Amino acid sequence: MPRSRTTEPDWPSSTSQNGEDIPSSLWKIAPIPGKGLGLIATRDITPGTLLLSEVPLLTTEGVTTIDLEVAETQLRKKFSSLSPSSQKVFMALYNNYPDDKPLSGIVRSNGYPLTVSRINHSCCPNVVQAWNPLVEKETVFAVRTIPAGTEICTAYHVGGPSSERQKILKTYFGFDCTCALCSLPEEKLKTSDERMIEAEELDEMIGDSKKVRFHADEVLACCHRLSKIYEEEGLKDDRLSRLYFDCFQVCNMHGDLARARVFARQYCSAKKMAAGDDCIAYLEMKPFVKNPQKHDSFGVTGKWKTRAESVPKGLGRIEFERWLWREEA
Ligand SMILES: C[S@@+](CC[C@H](N)C(=O)[O-])C[C@H]1O[C@@H](n2cnc3c(N)ncnc32)[C@H](O)[C@@H]1O
């Protein structure tokens, strides 16, 4: 839940599973031109649908270093305890680092269990992939409507204008991104890039604790603008829940329990859609929908003081939004 920024892709936390593809009536694995294998929706999929939930066969727990030589030895120990058929499946996974140590190369290239490893990247993903430690499974949930025949894509890296994203994807994953966002016609791509640059700036402002404390109105206005950018760009991944969490904290910090409740609820529904109602982030936040004052962030100032029960009822969408973002005249 806390704000954290990743400028480079994380060292993967788990990889490969019991050797069998998980059968599904919702998707199939198929060759995708220019990308190797990938997942294609075989029917229309609605947001919040669980597409995959996989148990890893081999995790990087106990891999204590990013030193490839040592990591390879540690991985080899784990690998040798797998059955021969699982070892074969593992070794058949995509390896973007064929000249490096083979096991860490595959772990770095895939990071996740078998079928999940086949999901390609898009800068505007239609699924969110996450490790759920409570059930010890890697999950994949749809966060946008995915029409039948469409490729299912996650985001290996998020944020920034297309040139920045492409540089990182090329460096760490070895491919030139031609996703729907990166392939927009020139004028539209320029608009999208400007929005993504603005999104980065807004995100930085929202994360500035001094601004949150002393210029809360400005910060909430930044949050509102950022929510519009995400809407315009069709982004529904974890960036959205992170934004709602920030909005929750700003309102709660200044004693605005009514808005804090609404943002806590929005955070919960975004998390539930992206990671299920058994994910830790959802479960931890749920009590604060009812009792935001129990959260650590509550009441640093009483600047915006409202009661939790004072969420207005019966407003139309536009009026409610104006209330929510404190834009009433
Ligand atoms: C985790 S694997 C994904 C599955 C892989 N396509 C396969 O056949 O197993 C990551 C690799 O897939 C390819 N890939 C993923 N997304 C791509 C994209 N948007 N465009 C081109 N290649 C992509 C790249 O080679 C990347 O290093």
Side-chain angles (χ1 to χ4, degrees):
M1 268 195 311
R3 289 176 70 84
S4 71
R5 279 146 225 266
T6 329
T7 49
E8 291 179 8
D10 291 336
W11 178 266
S13 58
S14 60
T15 191
S16 196
Q17 59 138 34
N18 53 17
E20 300 300 322
D21 284 354
I22 295 182
S24 171
S25 57
L26 296 174
W27 47 260
K28 63 177 181 189
I29 295 180
I32 313 285
K35 302 184 190 173
L37 296 174
L39 261 66
I40 300 281
T42 49
R43 58 171 71 173
D44 294 346
I45 296 169
T46 51
T49 304
L50 176 65
L51 299 180
L52 268 163
S53 174
E54 288 186 284
V55 181
L57 179 64
L58 193 150
T59 73
T60 51
E61 212 185 320
V63 177
T64 52
T65 173
I66 53 164
D67 179 317
L68 289 187
E69 195 87 40
V70 183
E72 188 73 8
T73 311
Q74 294 174 331
L75 283 170
R76 176 119 350 243
K77 249 192 204 162
K78 287 171 165 268
F79 180 78
S80 60
S81 68
L82 302 182
S83 70
S85 65
S86 297
Q87 289 185 354
K88 202 169 149 204
V89 170
F90 180 89
M91 293 312 290
L93 286 175
Y94 182 82
N95 186 355
N96 198 29
Y97 307 88
D99 300 330
D100 277 344
K101 314 279 169 254
L103 299 181
S104 48
I106 289 174
V107 170
R108 286 160 74 204
S109 305
N110 297 281
Y112 304 102
L114 186 68
T115 313
V116 176
S117 310
R118 298 297 181 196
I119 301 179
N120 288 315
H121 163 88
S122 167
C123 297
C124 186
N126 49 23
V127 297
V128 165
Q129 181 177 332
W131 172 247
N132 184 331
L134 294 182
V135 292
E136 299 198 331
K137 284 182 179 172
E138 185 76 16
T139 61
V140 177
F141 281 87
V143 290
R144 294 166 55 202
T145 300
I146 310 176
T150 307
E151 187 180 2
I152 291 167
C153 287
T154 186
Y156 298 175
H157 169 76
V158 293
S162 53
S163 58
E164 234 173 62
R165 301 193 303 265
Q166 284 170 8
K167 205 166 140 195
I168 287 173
L169 291 165
K170 183 76 176 171
T171 306
Y172 292 100
F173 300 97
F175 66 91
D176 296 304
C177 188
T178 52
C179 75
L181 201 56
C182 291
S183 309
L184 285 171
E186 200 178 321
E187 265 312 297
K188 285 193 171 161
L189 183 62
K190 190 167 165 269
T191 307
S192 166
D193 281 343
E194 284 165 2
R195 282 200 286 247
M196 295 309 284
I197 290 169
E198 190 186 351
E200 282 188 323
E201 290 164 0
L202 290 166
D203 189 56
E204 194 146 320
M205 200 109 78
I206 296 164
D208 180 336
S209 55
K210 265 200 191 142
K211 276 220 181 314
V212 173
R213 171 74 173 76
F214 297 107
H215 302 279
D217 296 273
E218 207 185 309
V219 171
L220 198 65
C222 289
C223 292
H224 190 191
R225 174 68 193 133
L226 189 54
S227 77
K228 284 190 171 153
I229 290 180
Y230 288 164
E231 200 178 317
E232 285 159 359
E233 291 289 307
L235 297 171
K236 305 256 185 197
D237 55 23
D238 279 337
R239 281 168 277 194
L240 198 58
S241 50
R242 174 177 141 125
L243 173 62
Y244 290 142
F245 185 73
D246 287 336
C247 296
F248 163 78
Q249 277 198 305
V250 179
C251 293
N252 212 33
M253 175 186 229
H254 295 292
D256 186 347
L257 291 175
R259 288 176 184 80
R261 279 186 82 176
V262 175
F263 285 122
R265 197 183 311 129
Q266 292 188 340
Y267 172 89
C268 282
S269 38
K271 265 291 163 204
K272 187 173 163 186
M273 181 173 72
D277 57 9
D278 59 357
C279 81
I280 291 180
Y282 171 81
L283 294 171
E284 281 183 351
M285 192 65 175
K286 212 173 150 208
F288 302 122
V289 175
K290 216 170 173 192
N291 294 304
Q293 69 279 12
K294 294 204 168 155
H295 190 268
D296 287 349
S297 60
F298 174 65
V300 176
T301 83
K303 183 180 155 77
W304 288 346
K305 198 168 174 190
T306 61
R307 289 183 311 116
E309 307 75 53
S310 60
V311 177
K313 292 195 176 87
L315 294 184
R317 199 182 69 84
I318 294 174
E319 287 162 308
F320 186 81
E321 287 279 302
R322 288 185 65 193
W323 169 82
L324 184 61
W325 298 107
R326 305 181 61 86
E327 287 179 345
E328 307 110 311

